Amino acid sequence: MTEATLLRPAPEPVETNDTAPSDEVEALRKAVLDRLTYAVGKIPRVASKRDWFLATALAVRDQMVERWMATTNDNYERDRRRVYYLSLEFLIGRLLIDSLTNLGLRETMRVALASLGVDLDQLRQLEPDAALGNGGLGRLAACFMESMATLGIPAHGYGIRYDNGLFRQRIQDGWQLEYPEDWLAFGNPWEFQRPEVNYSIGFGGTVEAVQKEDGFARHVWKPGEIVEAVAYDTPVVGWRGHHVNTLRLWSARWPDPLRLDAFNRGDYVGALADRVRAESISKVLYPSDATPAGQELRLRQEYFFASASLQDLIRRHLKQHGDIATLAERAAIQLNDTHPSIGVAELMRILVDLYDVAWEEAWKITTAVFSYTNHTLLPEALESWPVPLMERLLPRHMQILYLINALHLDVLRVRGADAGLLSSVSLIDEHNGRRVRMGNLAFLGSHKVNGVSALHTELMKKTVFRDFHRLYPDRIVNMTNGITFRRWLYEANPGLTRLLVEAAGPKILDDASLFGKLEPLAEDAAFRDKLIAARRANKLALAKIIQESLTIKVDPDALFDVQIKRIHEYKRQLLNILETIALYEGIRAQPMRDWAPRVKIFAGKAAASYQVAKLIIKLANDVARVVNSDPTVRGLLKVVFLPNYNVSLAEAVIPAADLSEQISTAGMEASGTGNMKLALNGALTIGTLDGANVEIRERVGNENIFIFGLTAEEVEERRSKGIDATETIASSPILREVLDVLSMGVFSPDDRDRYHQIVDLLTHHDYFLVTADFDAYYKAQRDVAARWRDRPAWWRSSLLNTARVGWFSSDRAIGEYAGQIWDVPVRASRQDSHAG
């Protein structure tokens, strides 16, 4: 699929107080021409579309820089406490339209470019998605960065500047193939390289104890390897352009470009070996950890960016305040999941070893500075590292971890803690090989630990951090996730946004509480007709993408049933596919029934080493091949799998969705943000009581959402009785038939044994309880079809979803972080109101 096929035809602009006075148009026109001449080095008559994109992006960046410098100066002059957001992912997507929208210059730029014979909407197609993330974790970080700027919070995001991202997904004969992302092939016009901002990051080596004059020992780490972290800065502009923050990403560099002695001996490959090893740190997001080398690279990545970020923020603090002892008063550091949690040990090393801070005072500063967001209850996602690897790669940090652990357990032992409790809260897992528990480290080293939905937070207290919660009952708090409405509604769905402005006035763009004013219109047939027309335009645009990328023609008047997310067994794309097979068999066997036409739309990437997930992708494509080529279906069902899911593809799919699939095993999805984006755009949710689905149901009303399946408590009870599903399958005729056709190779005639593994997993090892929830899911889907045929009822529910989810703004979420965790003020904003 080409890059262009990921974009809809040019949408009509939305009024955002973004007019085009002639003097501003002329100024932007001149700015673009200047950048074309002096930065790109082209004259208009020979400039390519890519040249025009670069010139436009650079002109927009100049507009951001003026505000960026003003913000930076203001932060210093007002001596404001800063927030540092450490995340291994920042899935920022394309920035041209996003930046123009937030600056209020989109239509001005459109007119300016038109006067030069250039179409803004053609230029947006040329911008690659920044390959800096994978899924919800990275997209949440991007939404939060934009909201921190919108709310005027002085903030830096810190991460890694990946050369090749996760991977570019291609589907060949139904199988996922992985290729490097080349998003930097033509450079990145939004970033500023800062070669003068670089830090030495050590690995390996030895630790020596040096006697001090006071008789105590000072530990000196002498790394065996040094890698340089070089900064690249991207300005992040908030809504209305009032405040601009910094996303600082680190690129790994070897201190010497090559070993000249080896090069002169003719060993040209060996001369570059050290450089290649160093630069591999910032090559790829989530390198496979299936090998010891892969595990080591992941740990190197995490320490690399955590250390560089801490060195950088301490440099900034000392430059402004001069005293390391006041760090906690002037800085708040948020750990986005366990990836940066090695930063707890690194900050202790810096304070104790480099600044000679007493251990107790250093620990007090560390815990006051750090807070930790947990994003998962999955054991494999709560990272742990083999002790031998940590001792070899970070020997001083391993000493610090041992001491943190010993002091912590000593206190508990004095309080009478038993062996079971001590083992549970230890930083070292002594079972199945000694490993460092990074989730425990993040919890112990933070003053606040938050979950990302009400259900997830309560489950944290009962499961993964149960014993920690008993010891520190005030530490865990809830911060339900949110999304930025600017990108996911105003930019992605201008047709719907125009209707909202028409109904509630332009202030709705600034005030999420005004979404509630839409509710009376749910009974207005004329307004519902406008809503239907706006959705149909989006569906036509998505149908065009599907046609161009997959050569599959879909009916825009059919129900667009969407599941777009990372492929994982707990997210249960498999449940959706099994129901699709059941629907297919039903349409063929019972042609007399009034089947609602439906298009099943899948998209998502499977981790390169996750073989079951990749087999699920193959199954989805095999089912699509059979269903789409069967004339007996009569166009009532189509199945598509869109490759290389990213932010730009999501921006095309979400506004066109009628039904949002949020069907994870209850108790396993921390929150989800796709559920919020789809509900905001008017899709009805079919889902379990998992993650933020619980809170979405509370706000949109039980009658406007399709909830099915086991609850989190019932899931645990069911698992406690065993996960063999033989009896469950036997009691479900529809499910039994679906698994039979899979076993017989109906969807894999070239390899009839291909899906025996899936059938065996579901029959004997159904940990994710696909079979247990199948009948309830199948029934809920028939309820969906009945509601779809009742057009007034469907579109009433659709509008009420949009009207009642204003609370899920990332501005609200960031306002809560600011007040309850970071202790920083925010600019007055109504996007943080409890709308809905």
Side-chain angles (χ1 to χ4, degrees), residues 186 298 557 663 833:
F186 292 92
R298 282 207 184 190
D557 294 317
I663 58 176
S833 67

Side-chain angles (χ1 to χ4, degrees), residues 201-207 220-226 277 296 300 303 389-397:
I201 312 298
F203 296 100
T206 60
V207 180
V220 179
W221 179 28
K222 297 183 177 180
E225 175 189 1
I226 296 291
R277 174 177 165 79
E296 178 176 331
R300 285 166 65 89
Y303 175 67
L389 172 61
M390 187 76 79
E391 288 178 328
R392 176 171 58 83
L393 205 62
L394 300 170
R396 177 56 180 147
H397 298 77

Side-chain angles (χ1 to χ4, degrees), residues 395-565:
R396 177 56 180 147
H397 298 77
M398 197 63 242
Q399 292 180 345
I400 291 170
L401 290 169
Y402 276 136
L403 186 52
I404 292 172
N405 197 42
L407 294 173
H408 177 233
L409 297 184
D410 283 348
V411 171
L412 298 182
R413 196 177 292 109
V414 170
R415 295 178 184 173
D418 59 27
L421 177 60
L422 295 176
S423 174
S424 172
V425 300
S426 174
L427 300 187
I428 310 298
D429 183 357
E430 302 286 353
H431 307 90
N432 304 314
R434 297 169 67 238
R435 302 178 70 90
V436 181
R437 295 163 163 162
M438 305 310 286
N440 285 15
L441 175 63
F443 191 107
L444 195 60
S446 299
H447 67 282
K448 289 294 181 184
V449 175
N450 72 278
V452 289
S453 72
L455 175 64
H456 170 236
T457 301
E458 289 308 305
L459 290 175
M460 281 172 56
K461 296 175 181 178
K462 297 174 182 177
T463 58
V464 290
F465 294 128
R466 179 189 60 190
D467 290 328
F468 274 111
H469 180 56
R470 286 169 50 198
L471 297 171
Y472 307 100
D474 298 325
R475 190 164 298 187
I476 296 178
V477 295
N478 180 55
M479 299 283 140
T480 297
N481 283 343
I483 58 172
T484 170
F485 290 10
R486 272 75 67 177
R487 181 181 287 268
W488 294 111
L489 181 61
Y490 310 162
E491 297 167 30
N493 200 342
L496 176 57
T497 304
R498 275 193 300 277
L499 291 180
L500 304 187
V501 171
E502 173 188 317
K507 289 185 178 179
I508 196 172
L509 300 174
D510 302 280
D511 186 349
S513 70
L514 296 179
F515 275 67
K517 293 179 66 174
L518 303 172
E519 288 200 30
L521 294 171
E523 309 300 334
D524 185 332
F527 191 83
R528 290 200 305 264
D529 287 343
K530 294 178 181 179
L531 196 66
I532 293 170
R535 177 77 56 79
R536 192 174 193 278
N538 295 332
K539 293 169 77 171
L540 282 168
L542 180 57
K544 183 179 179 183
I545 291 173
I546 294 170
Q547 175 72 42
E548 291 177 352
S549 60
L550 301 174
T551 65
I552 297 172
K553 186 176 182 180
V554 299
D555 178 7
D557 294 317
L559 186 154
F560 277 21
D561 180 344
V562 168
Q563 190 172 19
I564 46 173
K565 55 185 71 228

Side-chain angles (χ1 to χ4, degrees), residues 702-717:
N702 196 50
E703 67 280 8
N704 299 308
I705 190 172
F706 301 93
I707 295 296
F708 73 93
L710 301 175
T711 65
E713 293 79 11
E714 290 167 341
V715 164
E716 287 307 306
E717 181 183 355

Side-chain angles (χ1 to χ4, degrees), residues 660 674-683 685 696 700 798 801-802 805:
S660 165
N675 46 7
M676 303 171 190
K677 296 162 193 166
L678 285 152
L680 177 65
N681 281 272
T685 300
I696 290 175
V700 304
S798 175
N801 267 260
T802 298
V805 295

Side-chain angles (χ1 to χ4, degrees), residues 254 256-265 267-268 270-275:
W254 188 247
D256 298 312
L258 79 166
R259 288 179 50 200
L260 194 57
D261 58 338
F263 192 89
N264 288 332
R265 290 197 308 268
D267 184 7
Y268 306 128
L272 295 171
D274 290 336
R275 177 180 175 181

